[in-house]
Amino acid sequence: MRRTEHTAGPDLDELQRTLHVELDPELLLLALTHRSFAYENGGIPTNERLEFLGDSILGQAVTVRLYRDHPDLDEGELAKRRASLVSSAALAEVGRAIGLGRHILLGRGETMTGGADKPSIIADTVEAIIGAVYLDRGGEAATELVMRFVEPLMQDPDRFGAAMDPKTSLQELAARRGASAPAYLVTESGPDHSKHFVATVTVDDLVSASGEGSSKKQAEMAAALEAWTLLSNP
């Protein structure tokens, strides 16, 4: 795989020790390669295909675990819990906990705008790593990694309530902190038949977060869940 020199590259050995998984270095490096870095380095491969694979593996592993652990829950409740565990906010929390941001290969623009701490970039890289583990170590190892990632989240009952109604949960959390009500700003782009919305929510100077979606409501809910996660785990 052709790459130009990158003096501040990721410490692959450290990351593998953190993940408790040994991976082919080139495959792990691919999992860490954001499209902004790939573009600036001659169009080398990105982690997006691995992200696509990892997303599927993550969803299956979490679904099976919830199904087995909660025989009393109906389909709707299981779906809500799964959504809370595989959301970008949850995966960003996982990635931050293992210091993933400092290992991601980013282009200069993303680096300058704080890309190493952007929830969407961290979450996508977590999924790419899951995909890399599946390819290199097999399905069992990938599932074990997913469970190590999400186990702490599954023990947090408040998370499931926030996932079901993130805007209300954020408003209640803000009130408990003595802060003003969350303020939302939504922008839209794209043609009428394929709109894309980006919402930003702020709670005084305590937290600011963003979310995306195909509707205003979806974007606001994604932003609220990310803000709730950040405010709950300062």
Side-chain angles (χ1 to χ4, degrees):
M1 187 180 302
R2 178 174 59 85
R3 294 178 184 271
T4 59
E5 183 181 359
H6 187 72
T7 56
D11 186 335
L12 299 183
D13 290 337
E14 176 191 338
L15 182 55
Q16 290 185 90
R17 288 193 297 270
T18 301
L19 296 172
H20 302 290
V21 177
E22 290 187 10
L23 286 174
D24 173 76
E26 281 294 305
L27 190 58
L28 180 55
L29 201 61
L30 177 60
L32 298 170
T33 303
H34 186 258
R35 62 177 176 269
S36 62
F37 181 85
Y39 176 78
E40 291 182 8
N41 287 270
I44 61 176
T46 76
N47 64 3
E48 292 177 352
R49 281 173 53 84
L50 286 175
E51 173 199 336
F52 171 79
L53 177 61
D55 175 70
S56 178
I57 296 162
L58 170 71
Q60 180 183 37
V62 170
T63 298
V64 171
R65 176 64 179 271
L66 288 172
Y67 182 87
R68 290 176 173 171
D69 285 3
H70 300 283
D72 55 317
L73 298 182
D74 62 22
E75 182 270 344
E77 178 67 20
L78 289 171
K80 291 175 182 177
R81 294 198 174 207
R82 178 179 59 192
S84 75
L85 294 170
V86 303
S87 69
S88 291
L91 295 181
E93 186 177 339
V94 166
R96 289 180 179 127
I98 63 174
L100 185 59
R102 67 177 180 271
H103 298 289
I104 301 174
L105 293 171
L106 297 168
R108 288 183 295 274
E110 281 291 355
T111 299
M112 292 176 63
T113 58
D117 195 50
K118 287 183 180 178
S120 60
I121 291 178
I122 296 176
D124 290 347
T125 307
V126 169
E127 291 179 335
I129 288 175
I130 294 170
V133 172
Y134 177 85
L135 290 180
D136 195 43
R137 306 292 294 181
E140 184 175 347
T143 298
E144 289 176 357
L145 179 65
V146 169
M147 289 301 103
R148 285 200 299 274
F149 280 162
V150 304
E151 191 69 40
L153 308 183
M154 297 180 79
Q155 304 309 316
D156 179 8
D158 290 339
R159 177 177 306 278
F160 298 124
M164 293 175 203
D165 190 354
K167 295 184 69 174
T168 299
S169 295
L170 178 61
Q171 184 170 342
E172 292 174 347
L173 181 56
R176 291 198 297 272
R177 296 289 180 88
S180 303
Y184 293 85
L185 175 65
V186 181
T187 60
E188 64 179 83
S189 60
D192 290 340
H193 67 278
S194 183
K195 288 288 187 182
H196 180 74
F197 295 83
V198 177
T200 301
V201 60
T202 57
V203 180
D204 292 342
D205 60 351
L206 296 177
V207 69
S208 177
S210 61
E212 304 177 26
S214 57
S215 68
K216 178 181 177 181
K217 180 180 179 180
Q218 188 179 71
E220 287 183 340
M221 290 178 65
L225 183 57
E226 168 66 8
W228 179 91
T229 300
L230 293 173
L231 200 56
S232 299
N233 301 278

